[in-house]
Amino acid sequence: MTVSNVVDQYTVLTGDRSKIKDLLCNRLIECGWRDEVRLLCRNILLEKGGNNSITVEQLITEVTPKARTLVPDAVKMDLLMKIRTILAENDADI
Amino acid sequence: MAKIFGSLLKAEHAKPKFLFSTLCVFITKVAKIRRKQRKCDKANVQQPSSKRTKTKENSVDSTTSSYCSSIGSSGSGSGSSGSNKQAQVYALVASAGRGAALTEAAAAAETTKVTAEAAPTTTVSPVAATTTTSSRTAGRCAADETVARSGWGGGGGINDNNAEDSTQLTKGQQQQQQTANALNATHLSTCLLTVQKLAVAVELDASVDVNVMSETGCRHYQSYVKEHSYDTFRVIDAYFAACINKDAREKKAIHCNCFECGSYGIQLYACLHCIYFGCRGTHITSHLRAKKHNVALELSHGTLYCYACRDFIYDARSREYALINRKLEAKDLQKSLGWQPWIPTAKETNLLLANARRRLVRPNQTIGLRGLLNLGATCFMNCIVQALVHTPLLSDYFMSDRHDCGSKSSHKCLVCEVSRLFQEFYSGSRSPLSLHRLLHLIWNHAKHLAGYEQQDAHEFFIATLDVLHRHCVKAKSEHEGNSGKSNSSSGGGGGTGGGSGGGSNSSASSNSTAGHCFGQCNCIIDQIFTGMLQSDVVCQACNGVSTTFDPFWDISLDLGETTTHGGVTPKTLIDCLERYTRAEHLGSAAKIKCSTCKSYQESTKQFSLRTLPSVVSFHLKRFEHSALIDRKISSFIQFPVEFDMTPFMSEKKNAYGDFRFSLYAVVNHVGTIDTGHYTAYVRHQKDTWVKCDDHVITMASLKQVLDSEGYLLFYHKNVLEYE
């Protein structure tokens, strides 16, 4: 049982997981990340995707590293704070 | 527009050591174990299954996860679930899938549940939540109770309590699968019933949108549905993707991990043909290939995946079920509905088809800019309208068409008029616009502005906000009055998709804020423009403080010489604000009754900003009306583009608050106090400024803007927070 698994289980159990996910989702939309990634996908498809020659998996492997670097630090920071608070709040319960 | 401010976000924060440091914090706090460093490293590496089994042996520690071990110990038994059980499982899946044996199974479940709850529970560990679960869920099994319980215990044991029986470890994955299978399958019928029951409750108050796009997935999915119906999908989605209730969350937390590597990973897939969870990539695909199963459900977003097509598939019926599950989850966790993809309604589809020409907004494009005709000394109105139209949050609101006041009174409603105005501004036409309808509405609702005289732009601004606010409230109350039944669900989903800051939280926060805020409602005007001013009156005798709060729409700043501090004239906006928030002696003539010492005492009064609105507007009091003389103060006041308001807040130590603002509109007045002309500088796009002089729109540089005199200054918050 690794620690990350405990964290995973715990956040799922309390429902915080889903709230964190929503927060991340909203933040990424707000900061324009989603639009940027959409544009990225579009460009790749235009480049290589003539008559459906590219699969989702290929697209994902190509986009993922770039999309990761596009996530603004502020969003990461925000999320980190949120996770910290949640874990600190529930410190006693674990 | 949100994007503009989003791009401002890219800022000074040091790059966090993201996952790693979280885990470190967590480890030190929670698990006081020997191999801190080792575990930390391990957490970042996904372990192959065999290796994982070995390391588990070492890392057994009771403090690691007390609630998990409690499950393990509660049923530390056999794990001897064999192949016949597997068969039983599949039979149940099949029967539940066809819905034939549904009622019987449910009835059986009900009775066993009762007996299990009456019987003494087999609690071992003091952690209440999960031990009760284990007994309760065990009792709920429609199948043989003892088998089910041992099955549960076996599963838990393998997961977490490896020290007890090393032989279990060697069997490892296989058993884990089977026991988890047993649990899932025997509950399937019960779960389905729960989901359906809950769904009915939701459907009553929020009817499912009739989907105009008839997406039917792929042919593999269609044949899958023909064979298995939607029930498996519904249950898996409700329990492992959306987690509709506490029971579902417990099940997900315990069972939903990759059958290959045990990770609770970022993206898990659930096979919809059999009971199998696997990580994205090879884990799930190898399963699908080996078993010749086609359809899997991606659990973090609830998307269907077809292995035969190698693609995600979209099915309208499934999406409806998924939406119901998301609503149930939101209700259960008391959160707002997360982001939902926009599915156009019939009306929207027709509109899109009717207006086939799309506009791409590029930099240096003039869309959104229109000159405004001067209808006879109406420049005071034109400049305010330009500033309002270029308020990002306001345009978000109106461009996403969120004002709805019914068809009856819309010609009398100023909000509807402003909504039309936004349509006009962004229509692409370049000819100047005439604001006669707006003017007429203002005349009707703010009598003091009626007539053809020159008016004060600030007065007009405040009057406009007031009328807009009143009409918003009116529209809302009318809307609530006659829309008891037609409570469509489109508002929530579409609104959050629009990406506006307060939008997604507005419904949730309305109840809580109404209680303690003073006259603050939740209309768009108050959401954007209303802040709270704190005034502290300090008694000079006893230092007792009496605090009052007042809402404000703008901050009016004095420019004349100060009387108390040696006749200094403010030179910058910061000076003005410092003066505004300075403690002021009320003088010996104005004694105030102190509530602590119960007597009239001299006191000081100090303003500070309790909460800031998303848009702060400063009014520089350039027009001085005194008993002796009316004059205009034309002194130059320097104002910044970026502005941190933290020093003027009541609670400066609030670490999480971000009070940085940036300038987006400046209204200027040229002329004398009796006669003159108003112009406005507005930020059109990021770093692009334009000057609006009635019907003439010209490009402007930032320097021009900052060198202008400034009468009304509009600042927009950079980072919008949730409430």
Side-chain angles (χ1 to χ4, degrees), chain B residues 469 473 519-531 553 613:
Chain B
H469 164 75
V473 174
Q520 187 169 358
C521 76
N522 208 38
C523 78
I524 185 66
I525 297 301
D526 274 327
Q527 271 181 34
I528 297 177
F529 293 99
T530 304
W553 273 339

Side-chain angles (χ1 to χ4, degrees), chain B residues 666-682:
Chain B
V666 178
V667 171
N668 283 305
H669 180 260
V670 281
T672 64
I673 190 157
D674 299 314
T675 178
H677 183 56
Y678 284 106
T679 58
Y681 287 106
V682 291

Side-chain angles (χ1 to χ4, degrees), chain B residues 511-715:
Chain B
N511 297 332
S512 58
T513 49
H516 66 267
C517 281
F518 309 87
Q520 187 169 358
C521 76
N522 208 38
C523 78
I524 185 66
I525 297 301
D526 274 327
Q527 271 181 34
I528 297 177
F529 293 99
T530 304
M532 197 64 71
L533 192 66
Q534 175 174 344
S535 97
D536 295 316
V537 176
V538 183
C539 170
Q540 293 300 289
C542 68
N543 282 330
V545 185
S546 89
T547 304
T548 50
F549 300 102
D550 292 297
F552 69 88
W553 273 339
D554 70 327
I555 299 171
S556 290
L557 300 166
D558 283 314
L559 301 182
E561 286 188 3
T562 50
T563 45
T564 47
H565 292 270
V568 195
T569 49
K571 289 189 180 59
T572 65
L573 182 67
I574 312 285
D575 288 348
C576 293
L577 264 170
E578 273 167 3
R579 175 172 162 184
Y580 185 74
T581 52
R582 187 175 291 152
E584 181 192 3
H585 197 255
L586 290 174
S588 51
K591 286 187 177 172
I592 289 175
K593 187 173 184 185
C594 172
S595 56
T596 4
C597 46
K598 309 281 182 224
S599 61
Y600 286 88
Q601 295 291 344
E602 285 185 27
S603 44
T604 60
K605 182 179 180 181
Q606 183 168 22
F607 286 125
S608 56
L609 300 166
R610 182 78 191 180
T611 58
L612 281 171
S614 301
V615 170
V616 183
S617 56
F618 296 105
H619 166 222
L620 304 178
K621 290 198 211 164
R622 294 200 177 271
F623 302 109
E624 194 177 58
H625 301 279
S626 65
L628 297 168
I629 191 169
D630 288 353
R631 65 180 182 125
K632 184 184 172 188
I633 304 167
S634 295
S635 60
F636 178 71
I637 301 289
Q638 197 192 344
F639 48 89
V641 190
E642 302 288 333
F643 187 18
D644 192 346
M645 293 276 284
T646 315
F648 310 106
M649 299 301 292
S650 309
E651 288 164 336
K652 295 179 189 65
K653 280 171 290 223
N654 186 356
Y656 296 111
D658 187 323
F659 305 110
R660 285 172 302 163
F661 285 76
S662 48
L663 187 71
Y664 77 93
V666 178
V667 171
N668 283 305
H669 180 260
V670 281
T672 64
I673 190 157
D674 299 314
T675 178
H677 183 56
Y678 284 106
T679 58
Y681 287 106
V682 291
R683 189 176 63 185
H684 171 50
Q685 283 171 352
K686 202 184 176 218
D687 303 327
T688 312
W689 287 83
V690 291
K691 184 182 184 181
C692 306
D693 184 350
D694 289 336
H695 60 281
V696 185
I697 308 268
T698 45
M699 294 292 285
S701 67
L702 183 62
K703 188 173 182 308
Q704 271 176 286
V705 178
L706 295 181
D707 286 348
S708 68
E709 196 179 73
Y711 175 52
L712 300 174
L713 309 172
F714 296 88
Y715 283 86

